[in-house]
Amino acid sequence: MSPSSSFAADLLGWYDGNGVEMPWRGAGNPYHTWLSEIMLQQTQVETVTAYFKRFLDAYPDVSTLAAAPLDDVLKLWEGLGYYSRARNLHRTAQQIISKFGGKFPHDVDSLQELPGIGRYTAGAISSIAFGARTPVVDGNAIRVLTRVEDIADDVARPATQARLWALAEAYLPQKRAGEYNQALMDLGRLICKPRKPLCETCPVRSHCKAYAHGTQLERPVKAARRATPHYDVTAGIIWNTGGELLIAQRPLDGLLGGLWEFPGGKQESGETLEECLRRELREELDIDVEVGELFTRVRHGFTHFKITLHAFTCHYRGERDSPKALGVHTWAWVTPDALDKYSFGKADRLVITELNKRPTLLL
Ligand code: SF4
């Protein structure tokens, strides 16, 4: 038995007795694999489990998802974050219907042509749902492989990435590739943990060079990240004289695309927060408002930056139908109790939570 096949045999032996039951595992259903893999990209297994079941209840197969209105999909996704995943999910479902007759392609090249499916997800669908011998390299696999091979190079470098993909392929067994890939990811999550690897109970310890050298905690090597930028962003909680609030739907493409928000935007240098809010409302909706008190301040982190959202109570005295969708997809006047029907991002949701706590300030 070659070293790589004995590694795979040890890992699969462990997986057979310790693999974790998950609602998307075992069915060999590419729709389930795809849905779960997209959800798992930025989210923990425990959270995904509940969302996965909700999605399957609402959209039991790819055709029901493709036929659903995007707003409904975004609403169901609310709370999972990284909303481009939900938009891509919807577009991919539609393309599977229109281009592939409702059937998922088996090969990684065709899969990677679909929105939101990269090399990792294509490998996961192809191996887990169709049994193809295709590797996967996610964060867990990177940790295990860099430790097993004791790789001291920065994992963000393209050369290291290429080496990891080649290693992942070399270690793949001839059979049970899908289960092997799941085992590798489970091992990374449950045993080969980032800060406290459980080496004493690890089924592949005898193959692990980092264990032999005592360098586990130094792998994987990641170059220091630059400081995350921070932006101040304003939002208007804009009341009309009829007790309704103005909300806007963001453009469908881009950050938080298609989600609703309290209109506003990023502060530019040299302007006050109030000036920023007035400018943004003119640019996005062509309206002037009276900017009142600061209602609340909310902090939120995205992948590459952080924001502080300053939400101001505002009053609008103009015609109800005067706003124009200049920089937004569309807008609506809604009563406060109707806000829950719309999909909002996390920061705006926190503002709504505050609105619900302080109803005396609504008008
Ligand atoms: Fe990870 Fe330790 Fe197992 Fe090596 S021996 S793969 S470091 S848990």
Side-chain angles (χ1 to χ4, degrees):
M1 201 181 263
S2 72
S4 60
S5 60
S6 115
F7 174 89
D10 287 346
L11 185 56
L12 280 166
W14 170 80
Y15 182 73
D16 287 338
N18 299 279
V20 182
E21 292 261 323
M22 295 184 194
W24 47 86
R25 282 190 173 169
N29 181 327
Y31 177 64
H32 292 191
T33 307
W34 166 62
L35 192 57
S36 62
E37 287 298 340
I38 300 294
M39 288 181 169
L40 286 163
Q41 276 170 13
Q42 309 279 353
T43 313
Q44 299 291 317
V45 168
E46 295 70 27
T47 309
V48 165
T49 300
Y51 276 87
F52 178 79
K53 288 178 179 162
R54 275 171 56 188
F55 255 77
L56 277 198
D57 285 345
Y59 311 120
D61 51 35
V62 73
S63 58
T64 45
L65 177 58
L70 176 61
D71 277 351
D72 292 359
V73 177
L74 289 171
K75 183 69 194 156
L76 208 55
W77 193 270
E78 195 177 285
L80 270 179
Y82 302 96
Y83 288 85
S84 59
R85 291 184 293 166
R87 291 194 303 278
N88 284 333
L89 206 63
H90 191 241
R91 281 169 57 209
T92 287
Q94 293 179 331
Q95 290 189 17
I96 285 172
I97 299 298
S98 62
K99 291 188 185 165
F100 297 98
K103 295 206 172 1
F104 276 81
H106 293 207
D107 63 290
V108 287
D109 290 341
S110 304
L111 284 163
Q112 281 187 88
E113 285 174 18
L114 293 162
I117 297 186
R119 189 174 178 186
Y120 162 77
T121 309
I125 297 171
S126 172
S127 63
I128 296 169
F130 299 117
R133 199 173 164 272
T134 49
V136 295
V137 176
D138 72 340
N140 287 314
I142 288 173
R143 195 163 54 257
V144 174
L145 292 171
T146 52
R147 286 173 172 175
V148 168
E149 290 289 330
D150 201 16
I151 294 173
D153 299 322
D154 175 9
V155 290
R157 288 181 54 220
T160 318
Q161 286 284 318
R163 184 176 169 197
L164 287 166
W165 278 97
L167 269 175
E169 185 155 6
Y171 272 113
L172 264 179
Q174 292 302 323
K175 293 181 180 156
R176 302 183 68 196
E179 287 165 290
Y180 167 86
N181 283 338
Q182 291 179 117
L184 193 62
M185 293 187 274
D186 277 7
L187 186 81
R189 211 163 43 80
L190 302 173
I191 304 283
C192 195
K193 299 179 181 196
R195 285 184 204 89
K196 287 191 180 158
L198 308 176
C199 301
E200 297 312 318
T201 54
C202 177
V204 296
R205 194 180 63 202
S206 62
H207 307 272
C208 182
K209 293 177 186 158
Y211 176 76
H213 302 156
T215 53
Q216 306 94 306
L217 296 181
E218 293 154 42
R219 309 285 176 258
V221 173
K222 295 178 185 173
R225 284 210 200 160
R226 286 199 214 129
T228 312
H230 170 270
Y231 303 111
D232 286 293
V233 177
T234 57
I237 302 170
I238 306 169
W239 296 94
N240 68 16
T241 52
E244 293 172 309
L245 285 162
L246 182 60
I247 58 172
Q249 188 178 25
R250 296 175 65 90
L252 298 185
D253 288 323
L255 182 75
L256 303 177
L259 292 191
W260 290 79
E261 64 177 9
F262 296 105
K266 193 164 85 179
Q267 185 182 32
E268 292 185 355
S269 68
E271 68 183 0
T272 65
L273 291 169
E274 288 83 350
E275 287 166 350
C276 160
L277 183 53
R278 284 199 192 86
R279 173 183 57 71
E280 288 283 348
L281 294 174
R282 276 194 298 273
E283 286 174 7
E284 291 191 348
L285 291 153
D286 196 24
I287 57 169
D288 282 305
V289 302
E290 292 167 20
V291 178
E293 303 269 300
L294 178 71
F295 176 70
T296 191
R297 208 176 255 131
V298 166
R299 290 185 175 79
H300 183 55
F302 294 88
T303 320
H304 300 299
F305 62 93
K306 295 179 185 159
I307 65 162
T308 301
L309 180 69
H310 308 263
F312 288 85
T313 301
C314 301
H315 294 282
Y316 175 72
R317 315 272 180 212
E319 295 291 321
R320 192 172 181 280
D321 58 358
S322 286
K324 297 188 188 76
L326 300 181
V328 297
H329 181 63
T330 187
W331 54 269
W333 288 106
V334 297
T335 54
D337 57 1
L339 288 170
D340 274 350
K341 294 187 191 137
Y342 295 82
S343 316
F344 287 87
K346 185 80 181 284
D348 287 80
R349 250 310 143 211
L350 292 171
V351 174
I352 293 171
T353 303
E354 200 57 32
L355 269 171
N356 290 335
K357 275 196 233 160
R358 295 153 63 187
T360 51
L361 293 178
L362 292 183
L363 290 169

